Amino acid sequence: TAKKRRNYGFREAALLNRRLSWMRTEKLNNNEEGLKAAADAIALTQAGLALTQPGDEQYVALRREEMLAEAVRGTALLRLERPKESQEADKRSLAVADDLLARDLDDAQRQEIEEERGFLEQRIASVMATLAAGQP
């Protein structure tokens, strides 16, 4: 249907922006541009989510992209030595992961989200320890 194609387009656009963000941050060390691409990915997921119903297939796909884009945003912020903002992005990503895990997912989706959740918990704890020690 037209609605499904439109929602699929939001997911694909968000996915491309998230990957662009990751590439700029991880491979090109261009954290400012990576941060912008992550923000674009998140904005696209939000626009797409406004057109979906919680729990449907496109909702889950868009929330997954939102979770991953927030994590990439957290990486870019950490590399820009903005640990508090990085931690906020990771906490938003973790909240999305928890929302998704509360839903009916297939085993592969659940495992992927649980793995991402574990990564986020570790990074949040690491940043908290760094902040507690007074390091930048």
Side-chain angles (χ1 to χ4, degrees), residues 22 37 39 92 107:
W22 176 85
R92 285 189 299 272
D107 291 340

Side-chain angles (χ1 to χ4, degrees), residues 45-64:
T45 63
Q46 294 300 314
L49 284 167
L51 302 171
T52 65
Q53 295 296 318
D56 71 18
E57 181 182 340
Q58 288 302 313
Y59 175 88
V60 170
L62 284 164
R63 288 291 281 177
R64 180 185 166 278

Side-chain angles (χ1 to χ4, degrees), residues 47-109:
L49 284 167
L51 302 171
T52 65
Q53 295 296 318
D56 71 18
E57 181 182 340
Q58 288 302 313
Y59 175 88
V60 170
L62 284 164
R63 288 291 281 177
R64 180 185 166 278
E65 282 305 319
E66 179 184 23
M67 174 190 72
L68 296 171
E70 284 286 6
V72 172
R73 176 191 272 181
T75 300
L77 287 164
L78 201 53
R79 290 184 175 199
L80 287 167
E81 297 181 10
R82 294 162 55 183
K84 289 181 183 178
E85 291 173 77
S86 170
Q87 191 172 44
E88 290 169 9
D90 286 345
K91 286 180 179 180
R92 285 189 299 272
S93 184
L94 192 61
V96 173
D98 288 342
D99 172 59
L100 289 171
L101 289 171
R103 298 184 182 282
D104 186 26
L105 304 172
D106 65 41
D107 291 340
Q109 287 175 318

